[in-house]
Amino acid sequence: MKVISLNGTWQLAYGLQRPGGPQTPAQLEGADWSTIPAVVPGNVELDLMRAGVLPELSYANNIYLLRKYEGYQWWYRRTFATPQSADGDRVALVFDGLDCVAGVFVNGQLIGEPRNMLIPQRFDVTDALRTDGKENEFVVRIDSAVLAGREHQPAPVEGAIGMNWESLWIRKAPHMYGWDIMPRVVSAGLWRGVRLELVPPTRWGDIYVATASTDREKASAAVIVDSHIVTDCFDIDAWQVRISLSLDGQAAHNATHAVIGTHLRTRFTVADARLWWPRGYGAQPLYDLKLDLLDADGNVLATHTQRIGLRTIKLLRTDITTPENPGQFVFVVNGEKVFAKGTNWVPLDALHSRDHEHLATAFDMIVDLNCNMIRCWGGNVYEDHDFFDLCDAHGVMVWQDFALACALYPQTDEFADMIRREAEVIVRKLRQHPSLALWAGNNEIDVFYHGGWLASAASDPNKDRLSRQVLPDVMRQLDPFRDYLPSSPYVSPAAYATGNPYAVMPEDHLWGPRDDFKGAYYTKSHCHFVSEIGYHGCPNRESLEKMMAPEALWPWQDNEQWLTHAVRPHRNMTNYNARIALMAKQAAVLFKQAPENLDDFILASQISQAEAKKFFIERFRSGKWQRTGILWWNLRDGWPEISDAIVDYYGGKKLAYDYIKQVQADVCAMCGEAEEGMHPLVIVNDTLCEASGHLTVRDADSGQVLFGTEYRIEANGRLTAGSVPAAPNATMWLLEWTADGRSFQSHYLAGPRPFMLEDYKRWLGIMGLKGQPKHRS
């Protein structure tokens, strides 16, 4: 299929959207609207900054300047030549991302009115193209998403947070209306690529490939290939389909099938199969699959290629868990339980046309931190193939939320159809990736139902038709070999019936009071799997200096720029104002009070965050298999801000980055909380090979060895290696261990609180971290 890119320089006209305003290109002619160059892919805000209409939006309080542009209409325009095509070809115009409420015109003719930024949009423009050799004119009108959202009057059963009511009926990334991790940027634009495709009359249609089963003992895998032929030919009885599978150039399967009709389903067994595994558990071989459609003379009419991984992934879960009757929530890959350790993947940028600029760097950190799972959070856009290709190649399983978050969405037939169409497109697009482990219906909507203002009769999330009917029906039809979770966290009928579902959910988001990270809220939770848990950490000084004016750097109290970057979506909203004070309070958990100068405040905050996230990870890992996974919040900021991320927007790594890297090693030693005056020393092995080595625990200041032992731990196992008496005074213990010839290090903050910041600076130096996180990048 021939592809012609329409990326590059366009013209962008814009003005306030008014009743009776222009709706067609002809009506726009003569209008006194501003016009500037535009870059595609892009966002209108970036074009306005390049043209000098707007300043750098990430600086100081400039983000609030976007409020007036929320009511604007935007007109993209460019010309292009009619492509040369073979007889019978159709010409398709494809937007990989069009944000959002739009009219698409070719030579003045309306060819489509898309309303969803989250999925590709495709239009047949063959009959609208010029045939006289003159250039075609291509125009896209993008209406105000805010004004479009106001046309919908929410029903009492619907609900939203803060300034997000206007988002309920509009299919944009939920975070764009303002979130506690992202600023309010209700953008517009052609944010992913635009192209023409020459579509031949005979071609491959839908291709579905699944691993039906794997057998590790026999080294085999059963593969299903479901393929569909699109053609305008009736006489196809002499055609054939040739299917080949190879790995590193070596054939694994070859077969030719007669074409009886336009659909072919075949199942075959791959012998000597090399299975795909998550990081730590094995390699990630990717087979090359090729389908050739052959005519009666053996000529290739159409070819389809893709890479596949041979694996099965199942989620074993129960509806509830209690101490008396423990349940489960655990991923099983190729028949082996896998402890999931990783992070939540949130927007790479508030302006999504820049996502690709950050992807490689962000994913390098995922690999460096040894994450074997990412949860693609439901407040974001759907990531593209380049993201999933990286996950496939590096053994990072993906938990994919649908883009529905923290709201009670319309329950009408019209909205249900919108979600169904979106899900069908996304599932067909992404289901080929072996890294895709789970579809989840939404983010936190179940708990919004249960914890909201609705009367009890309407507060049962199991009556939500989107997550309980629409989405599982799409899964059953289009991706039957992959598991589906209705919501995260999921309030099952059994959990809802208890009256207190939070006490019995096997999987949970642990936010709560965000107080002492060793407090009862965190340590008394019975959940087996935590898919959100975080703690605030201040960015490095050099990052603060980039996002704030010099006079606003300190103090943080009564400081509008700190609030803006906290991130408050609007000056009139005060419910976000407590977040900086919360960060100071969390620092005081360790050091009795928050420091009163900027550099020490940054350091104390980063220590607090690092110790908290380290503790969360160690608690879950040391409880293997009672606890089965932790996806902490979060890797990286998508905007210059003050947040739970361990890497800021500019790439500055906070102290937590180093600590998480230490405690996510495949073979990891940890010190637990004291029980009857003794701290247990636990070793876990998240590989499929037995491991052995030596563990030493010593005092950081004196160097005194407190414990030492040789150990041997079974594959995918857990071992209590010994214990250490509780320390009478505040100190730090260093844990040093080897695993099959490699050396590792971590620590434990021992003794009663509070700790002295100067002592901790000294310990950072002993650990080789120098106590200078503000200069690290």
Side-chain angles (χ1 to χ4, degrees):
M1 184 181 299
K2 185 178 179 181
V3 175
I4 301 167
S5 173
L6 295 178
N7 295 343
T9 301
W10 294 48
Q11 291 297 309
L12 177 64
Y14 61 95
L16 186 64
Q17 183 173 326
R18 293 186 175 90
Q23 292 295 300
T24 68
Q27 293 170 350
L28 184 65
E29 296 297 331
D32 186 21
W33 281 33
S34 299
T35 302
I36 59 174
V39 174
V40 175
N43 295 83
V44 296
E45 295 84 356
L46 296 175
D47 297 318
L48 293 174
M49 284 194 285
R50 275 189 290 265
V53 178
L54 285 173
E56 173 53 53
L57 291 170
S58 64
Y59 185 68
N61 297 317
N62 290 344
I63 192 67
Y64 301 133
L65 297 174
L66 291 182
R67 179 63 167 161
K68 79 167 188 176
Y69 292 97
E70 292 180 7
Y72 275 43
Q73 189 181 67
W74 311 88
W75 291 81
Y76 282 85
R77 185 192 304 262
R78 70 158 291 166
T79 60
F80 63 96
T82 300
Q84 294 183 346
S85 58
D87 290 343
D89 282 0
R90 305 296 293 179
V91 182
L93 171 63
V94 182
F95 300 87
D96 285 324
L98 197 169
D99 185 8
C100 162
V101 181
V104 179
F105 301 85
V106 176
N107 298 321
Q109 178 181 336
L110 180 66
I111 61 165
E113 294 183 289
R115 296 179 63 92
N116 191 323
M117 77 166 285
L118 301 167
I119 58 176
Q121 305 287 345
R122 189 180 191 90
F123 307 99
D124 187 330
V125 298
T126 310
D127 299 330
L129 298 179
R130 301 185 71 107
T131 58
D132 57 4
K134 295 182 179 180
E135 291 258 297
N136 298 277
E137 183 182 60
F138 179 22
V139 176
V140 181
R141 184 199 75 237
I142 301 180
D143 296 332
S144 163
V146 169
L147 295 180
R150 290 178 180 177
E151 295 174 5
H152 171 70
Q153 180 173 320
V157 74
E158 298 170 30
I161 56 176
M163 298 177 68
N164 295 27
W165 286 94
E166 295 152 350
S167 74
L168 289 177
W169 196 264
I170 305 298
R171 295 309 297 147
K172 291 169 68 74
H175 77 84
M176 300 176 81
Y177 291 81
W179 217 268
D180 59 2
I181 63 162
M182 295 294 286
R184 181 177 171 96
V185 182
V186 190
S187 187
L190 309 181
W191 68 279
R192 280 180 174 160
V194 185
R195 65 185 182 275
L196 295 175
E197 291 183 356
L198 304 187
V199 183
T202 296
R203 60 192 183 275
W204 286 111
D206 216 15
I207 306 288
Y208 175 62
V209 182
T211 305
S213 63
T214 60
D215 189 322
R216 291 174 60 195
E217 291 186 2
K218 296 181 179 179
S220 66
V223 178
I224 293 175
V225 178
D226 214 34
S227 56
H228 191 76
I229 301 165
V230 178
T231 184
D232 60 355
C233 295
F234 173 76
D235 186 6
I236 61 174
D237 290 353
W239 290 6
Q240 292 182 313
V241 172
R242 183 171 61 208
I243 300 177
S244 61
L245 187 71
S246 63
L247 179 65
D248 299 329
Q250 300 297 312
H253 174 79
N254 284 294
T256 302
H257 304 268
V259 172
I260 307 301
T262 55
H263 199 84
L264 173 68
R265 178 172 297 148
T266 181
R267 178 177 177 136
F268 57 87
T269 298
V270 179
D272 298 319
R274 291 185 58 198
L275 302 183
W276 186 97
W277 291 95
R279 289 186 66 77
Y281 286 81
Q284 296 81 43
L286 295 174
Y287 285 75
D288 294 302
L289 175 69
K290 185 178 182 182
L291 278 71
D292 288 318
L293 178 62
L294 310 175
D295 66 12
D297 298 320
N299 299 311
V300 177
L301 300 174
T303 296
H304 170 85
T305 61
Q306 70 180 73
R307 305 192 82 189
I308 67 171
L310 305 180
R311 94 294 177 270
T312 58
I313 302 180
K314 299 299 294 181
L315 172 61
L316 301 183
R317 63 174 178 86
T318 55
D319 282 346
I320 62 173
T321 187
T322 65
E324 298 76 22
N325 295 291
Q328 63 178 345
F329 192 103
V330 60
F331 288 91
V332 178
V333 181
N334 301 324
E336 188 77 34
K337 287 185 178 181
V338 170
F339 187 95
K341 50 185 184 289
T343 187
N344 282 262
W345 188 265
V346 303
L348 288 170
D349 204 297
L351 299 168
H352 283 289
S353 66
R354 300 193 294 199
D355 286 356
H356 67 96
E357 300 174 16
H358 310 298
L359 175 60
T361 301
F363 203 88
D364 283 347
M365 292 187 281
I366 291 291
V367 174
D368 187 46
L369 292 169
N370 200 36
C371 298
N372 65 16
M373 177 171 272
I374 288 175
R375 174 176 175 253
C376 287
W377 171 66
N380 195 8
V381 298
Y382 300 104
E383 293 294 343
D384 213 341
H385 288 301
D386 50 358
F387 166 82
F388 283 89
D389 289 343
L390 288 169
C391 293
D392 293 344
H394 292 279
V396 180
M397 297 182 292
V398 178
W399 165 326
Q400 178 66 60
D401 285 358
F402 285 96
L404 299 157
C406 297
L408 305 182
Y409 287 92
Q411 300 290 295
T412 64
D413 291 343
E414 183 181 358
F415 192 78
D417 287 343
M418 289 168 57
I419 298 303
R420 180 183 299 276
R421 289 194 297 272
E422 177 181 314
E424 288 172 348
V425 171
I426 291 300
V427 171
R428 282 191 170 101
K429 176 180 178 179
L430 299 180
R431 65 187 180 183
Q432 72 185 58
H433 291 279
S435 57
L436 182 56
L438 177 71
W439 296 102
N442 59 63
N443 172 76
E444 295 183 349
I445 290 180
D446 275 19
V447 295
F448 263 64
Y449 267 102
H450 186 265
W453 66 277
L454 294 171
S456 59
S459 66
D460 184 356
N462 296 287
K463 296 178 181 178
D464 173 42
R465 69 183 297 190
L466 304 179
S467 62
R468 281 13 182 226
Q469 300 173 27
V470 175
L471 293 174
D473 184 57
V474 172
M475 296 303 100
R476 183 179 63 83
Q477 294 190 52
L478 298 182
D479 203 8
F481 284 89
R482 195 169 271 115
D483 284 326
Y484 170 78
L485 183 70
S487 182
S488 178
Y490 170 46
V491 178
S492 66
Y496 181 76
T498 68
N500 184 18
Y502 311 108
V504 297
M505 294 188 297
E507 172 256 341
D508 204 355
H509 296 183
L510 295 182
W511 291 107
R514 307 193 197 191
D515 54 3
D516 183 351
F517 57 84
K518 293 188 178 181
Y521 176 79
Y522 298 106
T523 59
K524 300 300 183 183
S525 169
H526 299 304
C527 72
H528 302 286
F529 195 109
V530 60
S531 44
E532 284 189 20
I533 188 169
Y535 220 67
H536 261 57
C538 189
N540 304 329
R541 172 187 269 270
E542 62 184 1
S543 296
L544 292 176
E545 290 172 343
K546 292 177 182 178
M547 67 177 83
M548 298 182 193
E551 65 275 11
L553 282 175
W554 193 256
W556 62 265
Q557 295 92 341
D558 301 317
N559 188 321
E560 187 175 33
Q561 290 191 32
W562 277 71
L563 294 175
T564 297
H565 291 276
V567 277
R568 182 181 57 177
H570 192 279
R571 283 188 169 98
N572 294 340
M573 294 188 68
T574 60
N575 54 320
Y576 289 79
N577 290 6
R579 294 174 65 82
I580 305 300
L582 174 65
M583 185 171 64
K585 180 181 177 181
Q586 289 172 339
V589 167
L590 289 180
F591 301 110
K592 193 173 183 179
Q593 62 183 23
E596 297 181 357
N597 68 80
L598 177 59
D599 289 331
D600 281 350
F601 181 86
I602 292 170
L603 179 58
S605 172
Q606 291 197 13
I607 291 170
S608 170
Q609 179 194 46
E611 289 288 350
K613 292 193 172 182
K614 174 179 175 294
F615 174 77
F616 296 151
I617 295 169
E618 289 179 329
R619 179 176 181 271
F620 272 78
R621 292 198 72 186
S622 63
K624 183 183 180 179
W625 290 104
Q626 177 187 352
R627 293 181 280 274
T628 52
I630 175 168
L631 304 177
W632 40 269
W633 190 281
N634 63 306
L635 176 65
R636 180 190 171 277
D637 288 323
W639 193 254
E641 63 193 38
I642 302 160
S643 73
D644 301 275
I646 64 171
V647 181
D648 66 44
Y649 181 79
Y650 305 108
K653 295 175 182 174
K654 304 174 189 177
L655 184 62
Y657 186 97
D658 294 295
Y659 286 12
I660 290 175
K661 183 175 179 178
Q662 292 172 348
V663 298
Q664 289 200 160
D666 287 332
V667 179
C668 187
M670 296 162 284
C671 181
E673 297 305 289
E675 300 171 5
E676 298 181 353
M678 300 295 291
H679 289 271
L681 297 171
V682 176
I683 301 173
V684 294
N685 177 10
D686 290 350
T687 77
L688 295 183
C689 299
E690 183 183 81
S692 61
H694 186 273
L695 169 64
T696 301
V697 180
R698 61 185 176 88
D699 182 79
D701 283 323
S702 69
Q704 177 187 358
V705 175
L706 306 176
F707 179 87
T709 187
E710 301 291 327
Y711 73 87
R712 184 174 297 276
I713 183 171
E714 65 182 358
N716 212 13
R718 176 192 182 278
L719 171 70
T720 299
S723 59
V724 178
N729 302 308
T731 188
M732 179 177 282
W733 296 338
L734 301 182
L735 281 73
E736 298 163 337
W737 70 97
T738 60
D740 297 326
R742 297 181 60 197
S743 298
F744 300 88
Q745 173 185 291
S746 185
H747 73 275
Y748 180 79
L749 202 54
R753 297 169 179 167
F755 296 89
M756 302 298 293
L757 185 58
E758 293 304 312
D759 289 341
Y760 205 107
K761 290 179 181 180
R762 183 177 68 256
W763 297 330
L764 286 172
I766 293 172
M767 290 190 290
L769 299 176
K770 308 303 182 186
Q772 298 294 331
K774 63 178 180 295
H775 296 309
R776 297 171 62 252
S777 62

